[in-house]
Every structure is written in C-alpha cells, then in structure tokens.
Amino acid sequence: MKICWANTDNFDDAEIVILGIPDESKSHALRKGTSEAPHKIREISSIRDVYKRGDDISLGLPLDGITRKVYDYGNVERNQISETIEMIISKSKIPIS
C-alpha cells in the first residue's frame, strides 16, 4: 500500500520521496507499536472523508492541491536510513520520513 499522495510510480520523476521507518529499537514508549506506524499512516491516508457544511456534503479527496510529483519509496530498515536519505538527496529530491 502506498501513501495516498503518491502520484508517480517512477522514482526518477519524483520531486518528493516518502519513506517509512518501522523501528522501535530506540523508543522509550511504554507500549510497543511504533513499528506499525508507517503502514498505518499509509492505510489511513487512503480513507476518504465526507465533510458536511449546512446542507452541502463533499468528499475529501486526498490528492487535492498536490502539485509536485510524490513517490512512496516504501519502508527502510534502521541500518539503511543514512544511505537511503543520502541517495535521495543526491538525486535533488526532498526526503520525508
């Protein structure tokens, strides 16, 4: 599953690259589960919400307003973070994790 704002399947075309980091190794949280965050964020991003204002009902579309090419790189392991982000930056792209 890709994040809803991914509007290209081609890394080379992208201006923004989203990558997930499913890691709990440095977490100080009392409960486990942060490793599921990238998947859950992608899953929830694809849900379309309905908004009601007065008698008007409109569908919230996730791609509204996106003008840049966004590519979902997928998840990376902790030991791949630096290398992956450096590669993304070296291609003049903006990494978001």
Side-chain angles (χ1 to χ4, degrees):
M1 174 175 290
K2 296 180 182 176
I3 200 151
C4 71
W5 298 286
N7 55 11
T8 183
D9 290 328
N10 187 335
F11 176 83
D12 293 329
D13 290 344
E15 298 170 76
I16 298 171
V17 179
I18 296 174
L19 60 137
I21 304 171
D23 181 64
E24 293 192 45
S25 65
K26 301 293 181 183
S27 174
H28 297 286
L30 297 175
R31 291 187 255 167
K32 297 294 181 190
T34 56
S35 64
E36 295 295 318
H39 172 73
K40 289 295 184 186
I41 290 169
R42 287 179 177 105
E43 181 181 342
I44 291 169
S45 77
S46 296
I47 297 172
R48 296 177 183 217
D49 293 320
V50 174
Y51 301 96
K52 185 174 183 182
R53 179 179 287 168
D55 292 331
D56 296 331
I57 297 174
S58 62
L59 182 64
L61 301 174
L63 289 176
D64 282 0
I66 302 292
T67 58
R68 296 185 177 219
K69 293 288 186 184
V70 179
Y71 177 77
D72 190 333
Y73 191 87
N75 294 342
V76 296
E77 298 297 321
R78 182 174 175 72
N79 62 350
Q80 300 171 316
I81 296 170
S82 294
E83 177 184 327
T84 305
I85 290 178
E86 286 175 19
M87 182 272 296
I88 292 168
I89 291 171
S90 74
K91 303 286 186 182
S92 301
K93 299 175 187 318
I94 301 168
I96 298 177
S97 65

